[in-house]
Amino acid sequence: MNALVIDRVSLRIGGQPLFSDLSVRVEPGTVTSVIGRSGSGKSSLLAFLCGTLPGSFAASGRILLGDEDLTSAAPENRRLGILFQDALLFPHLNVRGNLLFGLRHGGSRRARRQHADDALESMGLAGFGDRDPETLSGGQKSRVALLRVLLSEPRALLLDEPFSSLDDDSRNQVRLLVFDQARAHGLPTLLVTHDREDVEAAGGPVVSLTDNRQESV
């Protein structure tokens, strides 16, 4: 895996700067946390990385993955996996169908189905393939969402406060699971959060967006 590099990125909206000249290097297998007050640009930074930043924003700077410049690449060609606060599972598909949507490899229908079922078993969700996503607990939905991202074989992982909607027990379990999987897959991982417990559990470098400035913490 290659490092994810944010190179002198600045974001503005309505003529007002959110942050300026942000430079961060996220190493493979490392979880780097970005913290800051509401409205400081944390989620907008992830949208810029994904290529989905609304046109109302003005942005400058580069996004690199190893030697590859992703700044102008189409979102689908960046292969950056992202987890949001809500699991965002497709309600018209069962759990297995959600995983098959993300599965990158081809193969026969039977092989793909088996791949999805094996993935569920690896997360302690054996037999859940035919379940309606709405019947799952919050923690189970988060696990399925994580599996869907991992099966798409992302080159980096972006986390947009994905634990904030969970109860305390599920939050701790899912947080550790996500971080462990990110490290096991060697993914450079960028977490935006306002929760200090997330930062402590991530155990990696921390960047603070404060008063439109980037500081190491």
Side-chain angles (χ1 to χ4, degrees), residues 79-99:
R79 287 181 55 197
L80 303 179
I82 185 166
L83 290 175
F84 297 98
Q85 179 176 337
D86 296 318
L88 301 179
L89 300 179
F90 299 121
H92 63 290
L93 298 175
N94 62 18
V95 168
R96 184 185 299 106
N98 270 273
L99 296 188

Side-chain angles (χ1 to χ4, degrees), residues 71-82:
T71 313
S72 300
E76 63 272 17
N77 293 332
R78 300 187 184 201
R79 287 181 55 197
L80 303 179
I82 185 166

Side-chain angles (χ1 to χ4, degrees), residues 2-6 23-28 30 32 66 205:
N2 294 308
L4 176 66
V5 178
I6 299 166
S23 292
V24 181
R25 182 181 179 88
V26 187
E27 298 292 346
T30 299
T32 295

Side-chain angles (χ1 to χ4, degrees), residues 7-78:
D7 181 28
R8 294 172 294 176
V9 169
S10 300
L11 291 186
R12 300 173 65 88
I13 184 168
Q16 297 298 315
L18 292 176
F19 56 81
S20 300
D21 294 325
L22 177 68
S23 292
V24 181
R25 182 181 179 88
V26 187
E27 298 292 346
T30 299
V31 182
T32 295
S33 300
V34 176
I35 61 174
R37 58 177 171 74
S38 179
S40 61
K42 301 186 303 296
S43 293
S44 298
L45 171 62
L46 296 190
F48 176 66
L49 294 175
C50 289
T52 57
L53 190 69
S56 54
F57 288 82
S60 62
R62 298 190 304 162
I63 309 158
L64 304 172
L65 194 59
D67 295 329
E68 184 180 354
D69 191 333
L70 302 182
T71 313
S72 300
E76 63 272 17
N77 293 332
R78 300 187 184 201

